[in-house]
Amino acid sequence: MSLVYVNGQMQPAQSAQVSARDRGFLLGDGLFETLAAYRGRILGLDQHLTRLQHGANVLGFDPPPAAELAAAARHTLAANGLQAQDAILRLTVSRGAGPRGLLPPAQPTPTVVITAAPWAVAAPAAQTAISVPFRWDAASPLAGLKTLNYLPQILGRQAAQVAGATEGIFLNHAGHLVEGCASNLFWVSDGALFTPALACGPLPGVTRAFVLALAAGLQLPVVEGAFPRAQLLQAAEAFLTNSLIELAPLTWYDGQPIGRGEPGPLTRRLQAAFRTMITSGLP
């Protein structure tokens, strides 16, 4: 029986409860982080908690201290017997319960929910993508935050599924590439690694940051900027990143092969560097 951490207590997953007045449920007023744990070691835990704290600052509420959330995440792994195997955690922090209306209570009490599940780590499958049929608002105050309001991503992923693709790629209102529905985007042209700049509206992904650091360590040139859709169509190779797919090759985009339509050599080199990072000790 899996157990869920809810506000300091472990509860059976099938009967775990939060308030019916919780603003996360009612209004999407909260944040979440998806974390990968490799044999009990949580990859990038500090970075995830820093991102969550930044998001809470923007939304205007105080989550529990990072040390408390880190201990709760490890406790959830242990309570589910997942200390010695790979696992997925989801940390959700909402503003908590509140009265009717949009304005939050003056002194909210955040709700914290953490789930954990076994995870069979496998070589990332090649991905295919389409352009999402609506634009990403890079000027939104929520751009770059991992909030509980994931409806644009849900609609984008549904559109991708209908088109027979595994991911949707957002363009912003300027026509620049942003990110996938649940992934950051990279591609290779002329031996350099390209990725949309944060000013274009993507989430500052934890795995994205690790890839940039690995590329620097391998002395690979990296270009962050604002790029049109044609840049990806003309790329030699591409890949997507997040905590669970790690680095997954992107081989087709909008019905056209990227490069040869297969994982490229630089993608494989960065995949190998990422796996070495995992096995040699998590950051």
Side-chain angles (χ1 to χ4, degrees), residues 1-4 6 10-18:
M1 179 183 300
S2 62
L3 297 173
V4 177
V6 181
M10 301 305 305
Q11 301 181 15
Q14 66 269 30
S15 59
Q17 299 179 1
V18 298

Side-chain angles (χ1 to χ4, degrees), residues 48-123:
H48 280 283
L49 294 177
T50 297
R51 184 171 67 183
L52 187 142
Q53 178 65 66
H54 168 71
N57 290 345
V58 174
L59 297 184
F61 73 91
D62 293 322
E68 179 181 325
L69 293 176
R74 296 187 179 101
H75 177 46
T76 305
L77 282 176
N80 285 280
L82 297 173
Q83 310 100 309
Q85 65 185 97
D86 300 330
I88 299 168
L89 296 110
R90 171 169 163 140
L91 165 62
T92 303
V93 181
S94 80
R95 198 186 302 260
R100 286 181 55 84
L102 295 182
L103 289 176
Q107 295 182 325
T109 301
T111 297
V112 178
V113 177
I114 307 176
T115 61
W119 175 36
V121 180

Side-chain angles (χ1 to χ4, degrees), residues 4 38 47 49 73 86 142-143 155 177 184 226 250-251:
V4 177
Y38 297 86
Q47 293 90 326
L49 294 177
D86 300 330
L142 302 183
L155 293 174
L177 294 159
N184 285 118
L250 176 62
T251 55

Side-chain angles (χ1 to χ4, degrees), residues 245-271:
I245 64 172
E246 300 180 346
L247 286 74
L250 176 62
T251 55
W252 286 73
Y253 175 49
D254 279 345
Q256 299 183 38
I258 296 176
R260 297 182 177 180
E262 61 186 30
L266 199 150
T267 299
R268 294 192 183 282
R269 188 178 176 191
L270 285 167
Q271 284 178 321

Side-chain angles (χ1 to χ4, degrees), residues 35-38 40-46 48 70 73-74 77 89 282-283:
L35 306 106
Y38 297 86
R41 300 176 302 160
I42 302 173
L43 175 63
L45 179 57
D46 289 344
H48 280 283
R74 296 187 179 101
L77 282 176
L89 296 110
L282 299 186

